[in-house]
Amino acid sequence: SKEIDEIKDFVDYGEYGLALDTLIDIIKEENKEINNDIFQYIAKLSNLMEQNMEAITKDLINI
């Protein structure tokens, strides 16, 4: 719940890129498993936010 609160705070302050980066970092660092739906959602968000989708996708696939 602490992790969720941290991401929500970033969203509340309009720091969407930081929220997405934090989410990805948490998934990577803690080796959290995500299903394909969540992976696709993160990929779509990165694309909409014009983030480096290839790097993000690579990070999440290599978990």
Side-chain angles (χ1 to χ4, degrees):
S1 101
K2 183 178 177 182
E3 295 163 339
I4 292 170
D5 290 341
E6 181 180 8
I7 294 168
K8 282 182 180 179
D9 285 342
F10 290 135
V11 171
D12 289 344
Y13 289 102
E15 297 288 344
Y16 307 114
L18 192 51
L20 182 60
D21 289 341
T22 301
L23 173 63
I24 292 167
D25 287 344
I26 290 169
I27 292 169
K28 287 188 326 186
E29 290 171 10
E30 298 184 13
N31 294 319
K32 293 190 181 280
E33 291 186 28
I34 58 172
N35 63 33
N36 189 51
D37 291 338
I38 292 176
F39 176 81
Q40 292 299 324
Y41 187 73
I42 291 171
K44 286 179 186 178
L45 279 174
S46 354
N47 188 35
L48 288 171
M49 296 170 65
E50 298 179 353
Q51 301 271 334
N52 185 345
M53 194 169 69
E54 183 177 322
I56 290 170
T57 302
K58 182 180 176 187
D59 285 344
L60 292 177
I61 290 174
N62 289 330
I63 295 177

